[in-house]
Amino acid sequence: MRRCVFVVGALLLISCSSDRPPAEARSSSGSTAPNSSVSPAPTTTSPGVPTTSSPLSPIAGCPDPGPLAEPDPNRPRYEVLANVDVANSLVEGTVTVQFTPDLPTNELVFRLWPNSPIIAAAGGHEDVGPITQAGGGELNVDRPDDTTVHVSLPTTLAARSSIQVTVPFTLQVAGPNDDRVARDGDTMRLGSFAPLLAWEPGVGWALDPPTSAHAEAATSPVADYDVNLTVPGGYDVLGTGEREGTHWRAIAVRDIAFSIGHFTLLEDDVNGVHVTLGVDRSITDRPQRYMDLTTTALRDYEARLGAYPWSTYSAAVLPGFEGGIEFPTHVMHGAGSATRSIVHEVAHQWFYALVGNDQGRDPWIDEGLASYAEFVEVGSLERNRDTALPADAAGRAGDPMTYWDQHQASYYRGVYVQAAVGIASLGSVDQVDCALRQFVAHDAFRVTTPADFFDAIAPVLPDAPGRLAPYGLHP
């Protein structure tokens, strides 16, 4: 589902041999990154649109999926200014976003995911100040629940017209918990921490209720992020995008996340992707194990599914929770993460980060497909085919989180395992991977629906709707 070693020192910028924007290389005070295979460069290039090249392995008879679809040129642009006070578990800042909808709307909807049930129960709370429009004044706000902010617009915003608003926010970071926003000892997890537009292109505002399970209910289009993150001296930070000092830049990602602590760093390069793996110094886990599993999975998934289109991937191993929490280009691992969990989170870079979905309405699209990729990677397909399904899960893999909130004990087997086994039943690994290549290329950077999935794989697996119906998966 969801869930890097670090030395404070000079920031080194590297140039890659691919057409991706250059990634960064960082080192810790007194040591060098032992696995770095890239050379320092004196200057940086501004990141651009992610690459669409693909290092796919040949599959006999598989149609060429073509390049990845391009991200929407009218995607949102966020500027985030955030000051992090670790000692007081506090983040204060502003979000300024330029939004250009593809449908007319008379409001904006921001989601405050740090107010989700698990985080709130651990003492977390996010609030927003007066929301203002550029060139205008303060806008009227309605708060129907703790995670949702409706912002009324003075006039209807026409499709393909733009608006810019600024949202001040204050986040009291929760104490130890298993979710995405937490302070545990001297580490901090900041995932989905800034107010986030909940727009589904072609549909409108996504208003799924937050989940009380260890899961997600977010829907967000890809966007460009410029983040200035101020953290107290002495702390190390890993996060989404490319870094220069306190500035982070991420192109065409759905969300951002940062891990703060005191890390030991390993760095490597995979097909031009700069990989950084940090293990907090409070943890005895062996960093090289995480790095080896991550880089192998990245290579394998690119060969099976298509290009990883961003220039960086980072992961932080942190105390206080189990499993993994996935975000675009950055993952948080709990101490002692199992092999399957580590490679599962890498798979989410294709299913959720690249090909998105409404995670509240259609959790199987990201979790089931990431699990299928994981099961093939670690050789567990046969074992999972033999997994017994609870009565309240059988035939319900396509149900929304509102159902699984009431059946949490069956959620993993009902969605992760059942959907993955159903997908695997469609054919050989090569046949299914071939079909998924079509889906990834055709629906890259989109928020997809089950109908999009079935349409994309139809040229390879035209009988998929009938064969997946018994699992509860329908167009």
Side-chain angles (χ1 to χ4, degrees), residues 114-205:
N115 293 337
S116 295
I118 295 173
I119 302 170
H125 183 72
E126 184 166 56
D127 206 353
V128 296
I131 298 176
T132 56
Q133 179 180 352
E138 185 176 338
L139 298 170
N140 292 326
V141 170
D142 180 44
R143 298 284 299 275
D145 60 69
D146 285 343
T147 65
T148 311
V149 178
H150 290 264
V151 183
S152 298
L153 300 179
T155 59
T156 297
L157 183 63
R160 299 304 177 190
S161 296
S162 298
I163 189 171
Q164 180 175 298
V165 299
T166 297
V167 185
F169 69 93
T170 301
L171 170 60
Q172 185 65 51
V173 178
N177 70 86
D178 284 344
D179 218 309
R180 58 194 51 220
V181 178
R183 179 188 168 195
D184 194 292
D186 211 22
T187 67
M188 186 175 283
R189 304 195 298 273
L190 295 177
S192 305
F193 72 98
L196 189 65
L197 288 170
W199 183 258
E200 182 176 356
V203 176
W205 298 110

Side-chain angles (χ1 to χ4, degrees), residues 234-280:
Y235 283 93
D236 304 322
V237 184
L238 294 173
T240 300
E242 299 187 6
R243 179 182 183 180
E244 185 171 7
T246 63
H247 178 242
W248 301 74
R249 182 96 185 274
I251 303 297
V253 299
R254 301 183 189 282
D255 198 352
I256 54 173
F258 297 91
S259 298
I260 300 168
H262 304 281
F263 302 134
T264 303
L265 261 197
L266 292 182
E267 299 182 77
D268 206 346
D269 181 90
V270 177
N271 298 332
V273 179
H274 192 70
V275 181
T276 308
L277 188 287
V279 176
D280 191 75

